[in-house]
mmCIF file of all heavy atoms in Angstrom:
data_model
loop_
_atom_site.group_PDB
_atom_site.id
_atom_site.type_symbol
_atom_site.label_atom_id
_atom_site.label_comp_id
_atom_site.label_asym_id
_atom_site.label_seq_id
_atom_site.Cartn_x
_atom_site.Cartn_y
_atom_site.Cartn_z
ATOM 1 N N PHE A 268 -20.168 2.273 -22.053
ATOM 2 C CA PHE A 268 -21.347 1.660 -21.456
ATOM 3 C C PHE A 268 -20.987 0.864 -20.212
ATOM 4 O O PHE A 268 -21.772 0.769 -19.265
ATOM 5 C CB PHE A 268 -22.063 0.804 -22.504
ATOM 6 C CG PHE A 268 -22.677 1.640 -23.586
ATOM 7 C CD1 PHE A 268 -21.974 1.905 -24.753
ATOM 8 C CD2 PHE A 268 -23.933 2.205 -23.419
ATOM 9 C CE1 PHE A 268 -22.526 2.716 -25.738
ATOM 10 C CE2 PHE A 268 -24.498 3.009 -24.401
ATOM 11 C CZ PHE A 268 -23.789 3.267 -25.565
ATOM 12 N N ASP A 269 -19.786 0.300 -20.179
ATOM 13 C CA ASP A 269 -19.317 -0.406 -18.989
ATOM 14 C C ASP A 269 -19.131 0.582 -17.835
ATOM 15 O O ASP A 269 -19.500 0.293 -16.689
ATOM 16 C CB ASP A 269 -17.996 -1.106 -19.306
ATOM 17 C CG ASP A 269 -17.820 -2.420 -18.553
ATOM 18 O OD1 ASP A 269 -18.762 -2.855 -17.869
ATOM 19 O OD2 ASP A 269 -16.728 -3.001 -18.658
ATOM 20 N N VAL A 270 -18.567 1.745 -18.125
ATOM 21 C CA VAL A 270 -18.399 2.769 -17.096
ATOM 22 C C VAL A 270 -19.760 3.234 -16.580
ATOM 23 O O VAL A 270 -19.954 3.420 -15.367
ATOM 24 C CB VAL A 270 -17.578 3.953 -17.637
ATOM 25 C CG1 VAL A 270 -17.660 5.161 -16.703
ATOM 26 C CG2 VAL A 270 -16.119 3.547 -17.828
ATOM 27 N N MET A 271 -20.727 3.421 -17.485
ATOM 28 C CA MET A 271 -22.055 3.842 -17.058
ATOM 29 C C MET A 271 -22.671 2.796 -16.128
ATOM 30 O O MET A 271 -23.269 3.142 -15.088
ATOM 31 C CB MET A 271 -22.933 4.077 -18.287
ATOM 32 C CG MET A 271 -24.261 4.737 -18.001
ATOM 33 S SD MET A 271 -24.867 5.742 -19.376
ATOM 34 C CE MET A 271 -24.912 4.574 -20.728
ATOM 35 N N ARG A 272 -22.523 1.516 -16.473
ATOM 36 C CA ARG A 272 -23.012 0.440 -15.611
ATOM 37 C C ARG A 272 -22.305 0.475 -14.261
ATOM 38 O O ARG A 272 -22.938 0.315 -13.203
ATOM 39 C CB ARG A 272 -22.772 -0.902 -16.305
ATOM 40 C CG ARG A 272 -23.183 -2.125 -15.516
ATOM 41 C CD ARG A 272 -22.598 -3.399 -16.122
ATOM 42 N NE ARG A 272 -21.150 -3.360 -16.155
ATOM 43 C CZ ARG A 272 -20.371 -3.640 -15.120
ATOM 44 N NH1 ARG A 272 -20.902 -3.972 -13.950
ATOM 45 N NH2 ARG A 272 -19.064 -3.586 -15.236
ATOM 46 N N ALA A 273 -20.993 0.702 -14.269
ATOM 47 C CA ALA A 273 -20.222 0.731 -13.030
ATOM 48 C C ALA A 273 -20.626 1.905 -12.148
ATOM 49 O O ALA A 273 -20.689 1.771 -10.917
ATOM 50 C CB ALA A 273 -18.727 0.801 -13.349
ATOM 51 N N CYS A 274 -20.891 3.064 -12.747
ATOM 52 C CA CYS A 274 -21.323 4.221 -11.962
ATOM 53 C C CYS A 274 -22.620 3.919 -11.221
ATOM 54 O O CYS A 274 -22.784 4.282 -10.045
ATOM 55 C CB CYS A 274 -21.510 5.437 -12.873
ATOM 56 S SG CYS A 274 -19.977 6.170 -13.478
ATOM 57 N N GLU A 275 -23.544 3.260 -11.902
ATOM 58 C CA GLU A 275 -24.806 2.929 -11.231
ATOM 59 C C GLU A 275 -24.583 1.913 -10.121
ATOM 60 O O GLU A 275 -25.191 2.001 -9.055
ATOM 61 C CB GLU A 275 -25.827 2.399 -12.234
ATOM 62 C CG GLU A 275 -27.244 2.544 -11.707
ATOM 63 C CD GLU A 275 -28.094 1.298 -11.822
ATOM 64 O OE1 GLU A 275 -27.616 0.303 -12.396
ATOM 65 O OE2 GLU A 275 -29.224 1.334 -11.320
ATOM 66 N N ALA A 276 -23.691 0.946 -10.356
ATOM 67 C CA ALA A 276 -23.402 -0.055 -9.322
ATOM 68 C C ALA A 276 -22.815 0.602 -8.083
ATOM 69 O O ALA A 276 -23.164 0.241 -6.950
ATOM 70 C CB ALA A 276 -22.441 -1.107 -9.880
ATOM 71 N N VAL A 277 -21.935 1.583 -8.265
ATOM 72 C CA VAL A 277 -21.338 2.276 -7.122
ATOM 73 C C VAL A 277 -22.398 3.123 -6.412
ATOM 74 O O VAL A 277 -22.410 3.216 -5.181
ATOM 75 C CB VAL A 277 -20.140 3.134 -7.561
ATOM 76 C CG1 VAL A 277 -19.608 3.964 -6.395
ATOM 77 C CG2 VAL A 277 -19.024 2.252 -8.109
ATOM 78 N N TYR A 278 -23.300 3.740 -7.180
ATOM 79 C CA TYR A 278 -24.394 4.474 -6.542
ATOM 80 C C TYR A 278 -25.208 3.548 -5.650
ATOM 81 O O TYR A 278 -25.525 3.888 -4.502
ATOM 82 C CB TYR A 278 -25.315 5.122 -7.585
ATOM 83 C CG TYR A 278 -26.615 5.575 -6.957
ATOM 84 C CD1 TYR A 278 -26.643 6.709 -6.142
ATOM 85 C CD2 TYR A 278 -27.788 4.817 -7.099
ATOM 86 C CE1 TYR A 278 -27.817 7.087 -5.498
ATOM 87 C CE2 TYR A 278 -28.961 5.200 -6.457
ATOM 88 C CZ TYR A 278 -28.965 6.329 -5.660
ATOM 89 O OH TYR A 278 -30.115 6.699 -5.018
ATOM 90 N N GLU A 279 -25.566 2.375 -6.149
ATOM 91 C CA GLU A 279 -26.363 1.449 -5.357
ATOM 92 C C GLU A 279 -25.612 1.027 -4.090
ATOM 93 O O GLU A 279 -26.213 0.791 -3.040
ATOM 94 C CB GLU A 279 -26.747 0.222 -6.185
ATOM 95 C CG GLU A 279 -27.765 0.501 -7.283
ATOM 96 C CD GLU A 279 -29.173 0.688 -6.743
ATOM 97 O OE1 GLU A 279 -29.358 1.058 -5.564
ATOM 98 O OE2 GLU A 279 -30.124 0.459 -7.527
ATOM 99 N N TRP A 280 -24.305 0.919 -4.163
ATOM 100 C CA TRP A 280 -23.516 0.501 -3.014
ATOM 101 C C TRP A 280 -23.389 1.623 -1.988
ATOM 102 O O TRP A 280 -23.429 1.390 -0.775
ATOM 103 C CB TRP A 280 -22.130 0.038 -3.455
ATOM 104 C CG TRP A 280 -21.450 -0.783 -2.409
ATOM 105 C CD1 TRP A 280 -20.787 -0.330 -1.306
ATOM 106 C CD2 TRP A 280 -21.404 -2.209 -2.325
ATOM 107 N NE1 TRP A 280 -20.323 -1.377 -0.553
ATOM 108 C CE2 TRP A 280 -20.693 -2.540 -1.158
ATOM 109 C CE3 TRP A 280 -21.893 -3.239 -3.144
ATOM 110 C CZ2 TRP A 280 -20.450 -3.861 -0.772
ATOM 111 C CZ3 TRP A 280 -21.648 -4.544 -2.753
ATOM 112 C CH2 TRP A 280 -20.930 -4.854 -1.581
#
Side-chain angles (χ1 to χ4, degrees):
F268 292 93
D269 213 6
V270 167
M271 190 150 57
R272 178 194 59 81
C274 287
E275 201 228 356
V277 174
Y278 166 74
E279 290 285 24
W280 198 279

